[in-house]
């Protein structure tokens, strides 16, 4: 492959720049991943969530999530709700709460007085470390790569995963996609998909190398097969995440969007970057 090393270097530089941009510009936290005010209300009748959302807007909430609650298992038909909301600068949460109760009383009959509290599920290093079982799986997968295949091949796979993950983080930051508690699992999923793409290439190359006379011929065949497999995998995952975006709840949409971006970047990298990395680190004859 012509200019394999140049493409590899450019891909790494782009990934580093995007990752640096995420530190420079930072991230925008969603309503459920920052210090948030929670209004809990129990009504005497069923309600439409759209009505509650309209009331929260009129009460002065700048961003909010309304979740139905129920004393039984049928939450969809429950008569209570929790509204997670933020307020604008200089606006008191208590004032929004009082106004919301006033507007609610005009529409519904209260079963119990509303309560106001604070909630936090901040996305930070601790949130990632709490997913330690996933970290163990990734470490085992990396160990398998280095033990089962040549060091150069394993390094190329690891570099591919870095490019995909760093680029995904950078795009999330630059696109102002709001961080939620579901972003960490989405990034781990993207990392796993990226490693899987590299692992497919490693396995195919090892199998083809045992049959071909020249290593470069085996590598070319393996790249073609692995690229096809990555495209199919990316397309299937994209369909699943688009369905989540359409049918999922507010929190699930954040996970689906972040994962969809990562899968799209991985598919692009599998077509253009992974072959270049494989040629740069692979055998020449």
């Amino acid at each position: 492959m012509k200019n394999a090393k140049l493409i590899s270097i450019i891909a790494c530089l782009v990934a580093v720049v995007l990752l640096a941009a995420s530190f420079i510009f930072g991230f925008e936290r969603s309503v459920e991943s920052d210090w948030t005010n929670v209004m809990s209300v129990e009504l005497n009748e069923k309600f439409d969530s759209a009505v509650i959302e309209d009331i929260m807007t009129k009460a002065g909430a700048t961003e909010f999530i309304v979740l139905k609650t129920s004393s039984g298992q049928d939450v969809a038909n429950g008569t209570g709700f929790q509204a997670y909301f933020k307020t604008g600068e200089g606006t008191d949460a208590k004032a929004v709460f009082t106004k919301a109760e006033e507007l609610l009383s005009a529409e519904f009959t209260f079963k119990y007085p509303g309560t106001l509290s604070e909630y936090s599920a901040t996305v930070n290093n601790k949130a990632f470390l709490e997913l330690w079982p996933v970290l163990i799986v990734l470490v085992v997968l990396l160990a398998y790569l280095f033990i089962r295949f040549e060091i150069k091949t394993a390094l190329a796979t690891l570099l591919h995963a870095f490019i995909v993950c760093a680029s995904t983080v950078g795009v999330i930051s630059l696109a102002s996609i709001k961080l939620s508690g579901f972003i960490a699992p989405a990034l781990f999923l993207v990392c796993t998909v990226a490693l899987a793409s590299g692992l497919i290439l490693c396995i195919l190359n090892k199998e083809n190398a045992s049959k071909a006379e020249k290593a470069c011929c085996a590598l070319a065949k393996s790249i073609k097969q692995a690229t096809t497999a990555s495209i199919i995998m990316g397309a299937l995952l994209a369909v699943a995440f688009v369905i989540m975006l359409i049918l999922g709840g507010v929190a699930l949409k954040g996970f689906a969007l972040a994962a969809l971006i990562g899968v799209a970047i991985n598919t692009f990298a599998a077509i253009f970057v992974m072959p270049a990395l494989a040629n740069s680190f692979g055998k020449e004859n």
Side-chain angles (χ1 to χ4, degrees):
M1 181 179 180
K2 294 182 179 180
N3 301 320
K5 290 185 178 179
L6 178 61
I7 293 173
S8 300
I9 292 172
I10 292 174
C12 290
L13 288 175
V14 170
V16 171
V17 169
L18 286 172
L19 184 61
S22 69
F23 286 98
I24 295 171
F25 297 104
F27 298 93
E28 186 176 351
R29 299 183 185 277
S30 69
V31 69
E32 80 273 18
S33 66
D34 206 348
W35 285 105
T36 305
N37 307 292
V38 185
M39 179 179 182
S40 302
V41 177
E42 184 70 23
L43 306 172
N44 262 325
E45 54 189 293
K46 296 177 184 178
F47 60 89
D48 187 344
S49 295
V51 175
I52 307 299
E53 291 171 358
D54 183 57
I55 287 174
M56 294 305 299
T57 301
K58 291 178 179 177
T62 57
E63 187 182 344
F64 53 84
I65 295 175
V66 175
L67 301 176
K68 283 190 175 183
T69 58
S70 174
S71 56
Q73 295 182 350
D74 190 8
V75 177
N77 293 315
T79 58
F81 71 86
Q82 286 187 329
Y84 296 73
F85 68 93
K86 284 184 177 180
T87 63
E89 188 175 348
T91 304
D92 182 40
K94 183 66 177 178
V96 174
F97 170 75
T98 303
K99 182 64 176 179
E101 276 205 321
E102 179 186 328
L103 294 171
L104 281 167
S105 63
E107 295 279 346
F108 306 98
T109 303
F110 286 94
K111 186 174 182 180
Y112 301 111
T115 59
L116 178 65
S117 55
E118 283 188 328
Y119 167 86
S120 177
T122 304
V123 179
N124 51 25
N125 294 337
K126 183 180 178 182
F128 279 84
L129 292 176
E130 286 176 349
L131 296 171
W132 60 267
V134 183
L135 288 172
I136 291 176
V137 172
L138 291 176
V139 169
V140 171
L141 183 57
L142 286 172
Y144 172 77
L145 275 169
F146 280 91
I147 294 172
R148 183 72 175 79
F149 305 100
E150 294 181 358
I151 293 178
K152 285 186 176 181
T153 306
L155 285 174
T157 302
L158 186 60
L159 190 56
H160 168 77
F162 166 76
I163 290 171
V164 172
C165 294
S167 299
T168 301
V169 171
V171 170
I172 288 174
S173 173
L174 294 176
S176 297
I177 295 172
K178 295 178 180 178
L179 289 187
S180 70
F182 291 86
I183 293 296
L187 290 176
F188 278 122
L189 173 66
V190 171
C191 182
T192 304
V193 171
L195 287 173
S197 295
L199 184 59
I200 290 171
L201 176 57
C202 291
I203 294 172
L204 288 172
N205 190 47
K206 196 170 187 66
E207 181 180 345
N208 292 329
S210 63
K211 301 176 183 178
E213 293 182 1
K214 293 185 177 181
C216 59
C217 296
L219 182 59
K221 182 179 179 180
S222 301
I223 288 173
K224 186 176 180 180
Q225 293 172 332
T227 300
T228 302
S230 294
I231 292 173
I232 294 172
M233 178 174 64
L236 292 174
L237 287 172
V239 170
F241 294 134
V242 168
I243 292 173
M244 287 185 190
L245 277 173
I246 296 172
L247 302 178
V250 175
L252 191 58
K253 287 181 186 294
F255 167 83
L257 182 58
L260 183 60
I261 290 172
V263 167
I265 291 174
N266 178 69
T267 304
F268 178 85
I271 297 172
F272 298 104
V273 179
M274 192 165 67
L277 290 171
N279 278 282
S280 297
F281 286 86
K283 294 179 180 179
E284 297 179 354
N285 50 49

